[in-house]
Amino acid sequence: MTKARQPLGQRPALLTMSHVEKTFNGNVVALRNMNLTVNEGDFVSLLGPSGCGKSTALRLISNLAHPTSGNIRWAGGQGADDLGIVFQEPTLMPWATVAQNVWLPFRLRGKSYNDVKDDILEALRLVGLEKFLTAYPRELSGGMKMRVSIARAMVTKPRLILMDEPFAALDEITRFKLNNDLLELKEKIGCTVIFVTHSVFESVFLSDRIIVMAARPGRVIHELEVATPYPRHEDFRTSAEYAGYTRQASEALHDAMGEAA
């Protein structure tokens, strides 16, 4: 069942990054004074040039890495145990079927396939792959592989899904289709999404908040609210409103690139 989306200003905070810094090898500063609040139900895009720390921020949120200083606070203290991750590459196990790949998050929690097979089928149905349970990754197109990766991320119904440029390697037609599908999926499961992208156009279509980051060191420079209500369809892509938001985001990105230290 689709959950009602609260207005931006009325959503409770899900996680907060406060004065977060991350330094690698003692002298490479990936993030400096990173401050960001993500609220329940947000679709937040992190937009910025290569090397601005977008992926590093996701790794810190997911607990795959730890801040050098600063802190990340989660509402309710649940933390990184209640999230799903979609990487730029689908990262599917080639020896496992589609259903077995989607089972992986449950398997890591010690749950048998039979115990969660209904959840696996539901996740695959939501991404339109319920007829491919026994297929192997080598038998799937690039877009289908990414759908499996999305199903795997959402099968446990996490509060937060992190997506690190998941559609960057796909052709434009497939990318547009998956953008549309992603918004539908988000509405159905009612989760929060943090989405990393280099694309101004993708960020405007998907997001209700765009966080523009500057590089060297990575930090938040601008925040843009996209007030167009959901659901969004193809007519939004060709609207004057969409063009206006993409212009604002492009200008903010240009400013951010000029802020490199």
Side-chain angles (χ1 to χ4, degrees):
M1 180 180 296
T2 300
K3 296 182 181 180
R5 184 188 290 253
Q6 290 180 295
L8 274 175
Q10 299 177 20
R11 300 175 191 171
L14 175 61
L15 70 91
T16 303
M17 303 180 73
S18 300
H19 307 293
V20 169
E21 304 204 357
K22 180 62 178 177
T23 302
F24 294 101
N25 300 322
N27 58 4
V28 178
V29 182
L31 294 174
R32 176 173 291 162
N33 199 30
M34 176 81 176
N35 295 288
L36 174 66
T37 297
V38 178
N39 302 311
E40 294 273 7
D42 281 354
F43 195 120
V44 173
S45 282
L46 302 183
L47 176 68
S50 296
C52 74
K54 303 184 298 294
S55 296
T56 298
L58 289 197
R59 290 179 62 83
L60 297 179
I61 291 169
S62 65
N63 209 31
L64 293 174
H66 304 288
T68 305
S69 62
N71 61 77
I72 301 173
R73 298 189 303 275
W74 285 77
Q78 288 179 287
D81 293 335
D82 195 17
L83 58 79
I85 306 175
V86 181
F87 298 101
Q88 184 170 344
E89 297 296 328
T91 62
L92 302 179
M93 299 178 292
W95 60 86
T97 65
V98 164
Q100 289 168 338
N101 270 284
V102 177
W103 172 41
L104 180 61
F106 284 127
R107 183 181 177 186
L108 294 174
R109 299 179 185 189
K111 295 188 177 182
S112 72
Y113 181 86
N114 284 335
D115 286 343
V116 295
K117 62 183 179 181
D118 290 342
D119 298 286
I120 293 169
L121 180 58
E122 179 188 5
L124 288 171
R125 187 180 295 118
L126 285 172
V127 299
L129 291 178
E130 67 271 21
K131 295 181 180 179
F132 292 85
L133 272 77
T134 59
Y136 287 87
R138 64 179 178 273
E139 301 171 315
L140 306 179
S141 68
M144 293 169 74
K145 290 176 184 177
M146 189 53 68
R147 288 176 187 273
V148 176
S149 185
I150 293 171
R152 183 176 60 191
M154 58 182 266
V155 70
T156 60
K157 297 181 176 63
R159 295 171 69 191
L160 174 65
I161 295 181
L162 306 177
M163 308 188 78
D164 193 358
E165 297 190 76
F167 309 139
L170 302 175
D171 64 87
E172 188 169 290
I173 294 174
T174 302
R175 187 169 181 162
F176 279 9
K177 179 67 168 65
L178 288 177
N179 282 175
N180 297 343
D181 293 346
L182 176 58
L183 289 184
E184 291 183 13
L185 289 170
K186 182 188 182 306
E187 292 303 302
K188 288 177 180 176
I189 67 174
C191 63
T192 303
V193 177
I194 304 177
F195 188 96
V196 165
T197 182
H198 285 105
S199 170
V200 166
F201 303 100
E202 186 170 58
S203 68
V204 170
F205 183 76
L206 292 173
S207 313
D208 47 24
R209 295 173 60 208
I210 300 172
I211 306 300
V212 182
M213 295 179 61
R216 300 187 305 274
R219 60 214 186 272
V220 176
I221 295 296
H222 295 288
E223 178 173 337
L224 173 65
E225 179 181 339
V226 182
T228 304
Y230 297 91
R232 297 176 186 166
H233 303 294
E234 290 304 313
D235 56 348
F236 177 50
R237 293 187 195 274
T238 57
S239 67
E241 187 177 24
Y242 178 78
Y245 281 125
T246 56
R247 183 166 54 251
Q248 291 180 52
S250 295
E251 291 171 353
L253 183 59
H254 180 78
D255 289 346
M257 293 176 71
E259 287 284 340

